[in-house]
Amino acid sequence: MNVVVCVLLISTIVNADMYFHNPRGCNDRLNENTRARKNANRLFDSQNNNRGGYNVGPEPMYYLTGSKLQVEWTNQHSCNDKNSFCEIIIQYMCDDNIRDGTNTATIPLDQSKCANQNCNLDTQYGMHENYDFYMQCYLRERNKGLFTADQNMKGRETAVSTRQENNGKNNRYGYECTEERDYYPYWHPSPWKDVAVLTNNAERCKYYTTESANVKERWICYFPTDKLKEMKDANVKYIPNNKEDCQTFTFPANDANGVKGEWKKVPAHGIPAPVCRETQFSRDNHLGNGLDGNPNRFNWTIPEINEDKCVLRIRYNISTKDYNGWDTNSSMNADKPENPTKLDLSSKYGFQDQDVAASRGYVFKGDPEVKIFEEGTFNFRLAVDTSQFARTFQDRTHVFSIKKRPNNLKGATIHNLNVRGKRGNIVQVYPSVEYDFVPNTLVMAPGEYVHFQWTGSDTNNNNNDGQGKKGSDRNNVLLLKDKNYPEGTGVQYGPPPTLGHYGNNYPVHLNASGFLGLKKNDLLKLAFLDPGNVGVDLDEASPHFDLGPRQVSQLGTYHYVCTRNNNFSNRDQKGRILVSDLKFTEAPLGWLGGTITLPGGVGSVHVEEGVFESLHLIRLEVRPRGQGYDQINIDGRVLMVGDDYVSDFLVIYPETSLAAPGKYMSVTLKVDPDASNVAIYRTTAASNFETWTKLETDIEGDTAMFKASSGGVYVAKSHSYKELILALVLSSLVLVVLVIGGACYFKRNPSKWKKLKSNTKNVTRNFDNKV
Ligand SMILES: *[C@@H]1O[C@H](CO)[C@@H](O)[C@H](O)[C@H]1NC(C)=O
Ligand SMILES: *[C@@H]1O[C@H](CO)[C@@H](O)[C@H](O)[C@H]1NC(C)=O
Ligand SMILES: *[C@@H]1O[C@H](CO)[C@@H](O)[C@H](O)[C@H]1NC(C)=O
Ligand SMILES: *[C@@H]1O[C@H](CO)[C@@H](O)[C@H](O)[C@H]1NC(C)=O
Ligand SMILES: *[C@@H]1O[C@H](CO)[C@@H](O)[C@H](O)[C@H]1NC(C)=O
């Protein structure tokens, strides 16, 4: 019999990587100038491509407490898409012993190999989790309820072995605990504090936010680390992972003088539960930007702590839909590694029962051969690796600090403005990225602070393209020259005046116009980095730069450039800052809903659970009447503002439909207290402000309340009876004219009548145009 075996790649999940870009992810790199990292086991198990990661800078970045940091990453295998399950978990950890290390070796397990027999303090080795944490994991019985498919645990029945890493005993990654890495929320203590959980299924958020170790204690069968070491040397199989067994466990066993296990409570971290929501959408096999053309991101508000040494961690848990890992447990495991798992695929693939499915090869096991046609002899081999359904990827930053903000900045809004990327062209840096400012467009209000700070390294691959000294990263910031050609009327990206233009590559000489209203000295620092002679390519300056927080006073839309990396036609590095005095609030709202309120309570949007079916980045903005605002300019469309409105204009972005069919957001808008007969109208920039819709409105005191399903421009208008009668008379007149005129017209042009009939909807809506 001729059996032709074809390899059908049903899922190339093998490359579903996850990389931090801001703050810079290390992907286990330190300072090696090779394209590939030297040691994938150095600190943690990333499962990423060896080429990923950024090298460490000369000194750590720092972030001020309460400041806003835009965290950016790329993940390769879709999120918030129907094709797969996806969870993204962002966590941080701070500890005085955390360090990047000075060489690329993995920290030893054998303490005698470290200075003073204490690896926790041997600073040549990078370390995140510590030895004590690892030893608990190394000896703790693994969770036997987990689905391990047909993976062979190779005799090590402790938390270093999992379905994804069945050889954890020999394959150690720093002092990371394999089981803790692969599962979240983890059931034993962990030093990681949760920042955010982003999930395809926001219904799981309640589970995440109540089970997070931020808010819920953990328990452990506690032994001092030197006892654990003795147990390891004595080849103890494992220590228990549950209360009952822990309390009867003695080491050495059956020794009346032995040490007993202590079932010990480890309190919750005592910080707020993590943010939980949907991720932004990303597509399969695409290590790049999200739907809006920008990287998928999370805005982290830096916690109120004062810590010298912290790291940020991101994990990406991805699975196909062949089975649901969330309700599959050890009862589905294979009896022996050579047997298939007991997962029943029959109903999924339309077989009458599991036996029939199995007879055709439809079983969940490594590289199954399926017989697609009942007749014939053709089998297909599927590339299934049961250690990779689901699979977790990871990246971590180098060490950074969190500093208490100075007293004079109490209550101020501080925006971190950083640089991502590294030296080289896109092929040389991939899967890292070329240089860019983060956030690329920063929106801020006058009086708020911007904190310019970045780092790079001098240890990039010497063959990577770029300006200045080989292997070096440098960045600077200079305002670009203004536009050279008119750009049509009405188009205005941000608040006036517009300074600098992306189309130019020459910076403006600094005393021609101010940049953010910064002092001359700061402008010089942003341009030259150091007071000394840094050379035309900034080679003599440090790759790390910190201007410190600076208050921004001057309104405007600023376009700036990094002159060093702006090798036009190869690469550019430009950014934009909008300083706007418009009151606005932005927030991502998803299935869980939430409330967004404008400063001063001018307006608000409340979204109940289930009203949104997916994540929307909502921006609420108020455009005042009067006070010099005689027109509203939105996306280049101009609405002339009369004086007969009884509220400011409330803009909800995006303008598109937001709520699920039949569901609504509840919106409030302040109206003038003495206004009567108030109604709310909606229009859109997309309609050129020509289509207006009247909405049912409740008025309570000075607040109008109404339901809306879409974004757009909302405003209140008061109708006096005189106006109403006038409007009625006018519209009847118009109607009469239309009917008579129309009758004559269509008599002469009968073909037009047909066309009009198909457009009648527009005709009715046009009557609403007059507000
Ligand atoms: C596995 O899941 C099944 C069905 O949900 C449940 O009945 C069983 O108790 C679980 N077994 C373990 C070991 O958790
Ligand atoms: C990954 O998903 C699986 C379910 O497929 C779950 O058991 C596990 O806890 C998740 N791990 C992480 C790190 O999110
Ligand atoms: C992050 O914050 C910025 C500025 O407020 C905002 O434009 C952006 O939509 C936010 N992004 C997310 C994903 O929350
Ligand atoms: C700009 O980039 C090209 C290609 O990498 C390089 O040949 C050239 O020297 C660069 N220009 C400067 C001024 O460094
Ligand atoms: C810049 O300012 C200095 C002193 O304020 C002035 O002497 C110089 O002419 C100015 N240069 C330009 C190009 O405007």
Side-chain angles (χ1 to χ4, degrees):
M1 190 171 73
N2 266 338
V3 179
V4 180
V5 177
C6 294
V7 177
L8 186 68
L9 286 177
I10 55 163
S11 172
T12 46
I13 248 190
V14 186
N15 290 315
D17 303 7
M18 159 60 83
Y19 303 97
F20 258 145
H21 300 294
N22 194 59
R24 298 155 75 82
C26 71
N27 194 38
D28 278 317
R29 299 184 75 95
L30 179 66
N31 54 9
E32 53 268 48
N33 66 5
T34 46
R35 285 267 157 77
R37 62 183 168 194
K38 276 248 173 74
N39 177 5
N41 290 64
R42 197 169 77 89
L43 293 163
F44 58 95
D45 183 8
S46 81
Q47 300 266 314
N48 285 339
N49 190 288
N50 284 332
R51 285 202 170 185
Y54 300 91
N55 281 1
V56 68
E59 50 191 297
M61 296 283 284
Y62 75 93
Y63 307 104
L64 294 172
T65 49
S67 66
K68 292 181 189 303
L69 177 64
Q70 184 163 309
V71 175
E72 291 187 358
W73 65 85
T74 47
N75 58 258
Q76 206 202 333
H77 231 287
S78 94
C79 255
N80 207 353
D81 181 29
K82 291 180 182 70
N83 293 352
S84 54
F85 297 100
C86 162
E87 322 285 313
I88 290 177
I89 297 144
I90 304 176
Q91 295 170 305
Y92 72 96
M93 154 165 92
C94 303
D95 191 279
D96 286 346
N97 290 332
I98 288 179
R99 60 200 177 239
D100 296 318
T102 55
N103 65 47
T104 56
T106 307
I107 192 165
L109 187 53
D110 180 351
Q111 300 295 292
S112 68
K113 294 198 173 129
C114 289
N116 303 318
Q117 320 263 312
N118 187 350
C119 295
N120 279 347
L121 301 180
D122 189 341
T123 53
Q124 67 171 306
Y125 301 109
M127 187 180 87
H128 293 172
E129 295 91 340
N130 64 21
Y131 176 64
D132 310 67
F133 174 77
Y134 183 75
M135 286 302 279
Q136 286 288 348
C137 173
Y138 184 89
L139 279 147
R140 181 172 57 240
E141 182 177 15
R142 67 179 185 84
N143 182 340
K144 297 268 175 55
L146 296 173
F147 177 60
T148 53
D150 55 1
Q151 294 294 314
N152 180 357
M153 291 301 133
K154 303 196 174 156
R156 186 77 207 157
E157 288 298 323
T158 74
V160 295
S161 300
T162 62
R163 178 180 50 77
Q164 293 181 63
E165 175 55 271
N166 64 357
N167 192 21
K169 185 191 171 189
N170 301 316
N171 207 5
R172 183 171 54 85
Y173 298 84
Y175 287 148
E176 185 177 47
C177 177
T178 319
E179 199 178 69
E180 184 274 342
R181 173 195 181 279
D182 291 356
Y183 296 90
Y184 178 86
Y186 191 51
W187 36 87
H188 286 297
S190 150
W192 293 100
K193 298 178 174 170
D194 300 336
V195 172
V197 184
L198 311 176
T199 168
N200 277 24
N201 182 359
E203 288 177 39
R204 239 199 310 274
C205 282
K206 280 167 202 160
Y207 162 71
Y208 282 133
T209 49
T210 51
E211 292 300 317
S212 160
N214 289 10
V215 294
K216 192 168 177 180
E217 80 276 0
R218 296 291 193 268
W219 294 81
I220 187 173
C221 189
Y222 177 77
F223 288 96
T225 304
D226 50 358
K227 274 290 157 235
L228 294 172
K229 193 165 170 293
E230 280 176 42
M231 290 185 208
K232 176 177 179 290
D233 294 343
N235 283 322
V236 167
K237 203 169 162 206
Y238 47 68
I239 55 173
N241 61 8
N242 61 80
K243 184 177 176 183
E244 276 154 36
D245 294 343
C246 179
Q247 286 169 343
T248 56
F249 183 88
T250 314
F251 174 76
N254 306 322
D255 183 336
N257 297 324
V259 185
K260 278 205 152 45
E262 180 197 348
W263 189 243
K264 193 170 155 181
K265 176 172 151 175
V266 176
H269 294 308
I271 54 175
V275 172
C276 186
R277 60 163 169 82
E278 295 91 340
T279 54
Q280 290 165 284
F281 172 87
S282 56
R283 60 164 294 192
D284 285 312
N285 299 321
H286 175 81
L287 190 69
N289 291 337
L291 271 186
D292 63 357
N294 290 301
N296 285 343
R297 55 205 182 272
F298 174 77
N299 290 330
W300 187 25
T301 304
I302 302 297
E304 297 292 329
I305 54 179
N306 200 11
E307 293 277 359
D308 259 1
K309 294 170 180 174
C310 303
V311 280
L312 195 66
R313 173 198 215 191
I314 191 164
R315 276 179 296 166
Y316 173 44
N317 183 14
I318 182 87
S319 187
T320 59
K321 301 229 161 158
D322 298 284
Y323 72 92
N324 185 343
W326 292 97
D327 49 30
T328 306
N329 63 26
S330 58
S331 63
M332 294 294 134
N333 286 345
D335 297 325
K336 296 186 243 166
E338 55 275 22
N339 288 350
T341 66
K342 295 177 193 141
L343 277 174
D344 185 357
L345 304 183
S346 63
S347 61
K348 251 194 187 133
Y349 293 98
F351 294 106
Q352 67 225 51
D353 60 40
Q354 205 172 349
D355 288 340
V356 178
S359 73
R360 299 278 293 275
Y362 283 79
V363 288
F364 187 67
K365 65 166 197 172
D367 300 346
E369 280 176 24
V370 294
K371 196 165 172 227
I372 299 174
F373 301 104
E374 214 159 340
E375 51 285 315
T377 53
F378 287 112
N379 283 1
F380 285 104
R381 188 170 70 218
L382 307 182
V384 170
D385 182 342
T386 60
S387 73
Q388 299 182 355
F389 288 54
R391 192 174 182 192
T392 304
F393 296 81
Q394 179 177 199
D395 202 0
R396 297 185 185 180
T397 66
H398 298 284
V399 171
F400 61 87
S401 339
I402 294 180
K403 286 192 186 162
K404 221 173 148 250
R405 61 169 66 200
N407 279 337
N408 62 331
L409 297 192
K410 258 202 187 121
T413 301
I414 306 171
H415 303 271
N416 288 290
L417 205 154
N418 310 129
V419 169
R420 67 175 210 175
K422 66 178 179 184
R423 182 195 190 87
N425 66 36
I426 189 61
V427 175
Q428 293 161 339
V429 298
Y430 189 82
S432 297
V433 293
E434 294 187 355
Y435 297 115
D436 195 6
F437 294 100
V438 182
N440 181 268
T441 294
L442 170 64
V443 184
M444 57 189 299
E448 295 182 349
Y449 287 73
V450 59
H451 182 184
F452 283 100
Q453 186 196 189
W454 54 77
T455 194
S457 78
D458 277 332
T459 55
N460 293 294
N461 191 293
N462 278 339
N463 293 322
N464 284 12
D465 288 346
Q467 275 62 250
K469 200 163 62 189
K470 281 187 173 182
S472 70
D473 294 315
R474 297 287 183 280
N475 303 274
N476 66 350
V477 165
L478 284 136
L479 187 63
L480 279 163
K481 188 198 168 296
D482 283 348
K483 69 178 176 208
N484 300 324
Y485 308 100
E487 281 182 310
T489 50
V491 179
Q492 164 79 37
Y493 185 87
T498 300
L499 298 176
H501 191 275
Y502 274 162
N504 287 329
N505 289 292
Y506 283 72
V508 72
H509 50 82
L510 281 173
N511 47 358
S513 45
F515 179 48
L516 305 170
L518 294 179
K519 295 215 172 72
K520 180 78 171 264
N521 201 27
D522 288 341
L523 299 178
L524 289 173
K525 276 190 203 156
L526 283 170
F528 296 105
L529 313 179
D530 265 352
N533 181 3
V534 291
V536 287
D537 283 324
L538 308 168
D539 283 346
E540 305 311 315
S542 165
H544 180 271
F545 173 79
D546 174 33
L547 185 66
R550 290 291 186 271
Q551 192 167 31
V552 170
S553 50
Q554 187 179 297
L555 294 182
T557 300
Y558 302 88
H559 299 88
Y560 60 91
V561 64
C562 162
T563 51
R564 194 214 210 210
N565 303 324
N566 200 62
N567 183 325
F568 180 67
S569 84
N570 291 313
R571 291 166 280 289
D572 77 357
Q573 186 186 350
K574 291 170 182 169
R576 167 155 56 197
I577 301 178
L578 269 56
V579 186
S580 162
D581 60 354
L582 289 174
K583 288 197 174 69
F584 71 91
T585 313
E586 279 174 317
L589 294 186
W591 179 85
L592 277 179
T595 304
I596 314 178
T597 308
L598 277 166
V602 184
S604 71
V605 166
H606 174 72
V607 181
E608 288 285 322
E609 186 175 292
V611 170
F612 287 179
E613 282 173 332
S614 58
L615 187 76
H616 297 290
L617 297 185
I618 302 289
R619 179 182 162 91
L620 216 59
E621 193 176 281
V622 66
R623 303 285 187 128
R625 314 154 272 175
Q627 301 154 31
Y629 290 87
D630 57 346
Q631 64 172 54
I632 292 180
N633 186 319
I634 294 169
D635 299 339
R637 316 269 180 164
V638 174
L639 171 64
M640 297 309 291
V641 176
D643 53 7
D644 45 359
Y645 300 99
V646 293
S647 76
D648 288 336
F649 289 74
L650 179 72
V651 190
I652 305 176
Y653 287 106
E655 270 191 349
T656 49
S657 170
L658 298 166
K663 300 201 169 157
Y664 297 92
M665 313 178 266
S666 310
V667 188
T668 67
L669 177 59
K670 277 251 164 20
V671 295
D672 298 346
D674 48 359
S676 58
N677 292 311
V678 175
I680 297 286
Y681 289 83
R682 169 179 183 264
T683 186
T684 58
S687 81
N688 224 349
F689 304 118
E690 276 165 11
T691 305
W692 291 81
T693 316
K694 188 176 167 184
L695 304 175
E696 266 179 49
T697 314
D698 281 336
I699 305 289
E700 233 175 64
D702 62 351
T703 305
M705 288 170 294
F706 56 97
K707 298 207 170 307
S709 59
S710 317
V713 179
Y714 293 85
V715 68
K717 165 102 180 119
S718 150
H719 293 286
S720 66
Y721 286 109
K722 259 197 231 155
E723 271 177 52
L724 277 179
I725 291 165
L726 190 66
L728 254 167
V729 171
L730 271 178
S731 51
S732 330
L733 262 177
V734 170
L735 210 80
V736 170
V737 170
L738 267 181
V739 167
I740 296 171
C744 301
Y745 177 75
F746 289 117
K747 213 162 186 177
R748 267 180 281 152
N749 307 281
S751 65
K752 297 273 163 71
W753 173 240
K754 252 193 182 156
K755 200 168 165 230
L756 179 73
K757 263 167 83 182
S758 59
N759 283 333
T760 15
K761 220 176 152 209
N762 289 345
V763 176
T764 18
R765 284 171 80 188
N766 276 339
F767 285 119
D768 287 338
N769 276 3
K770 300 269 176 303
V771 179

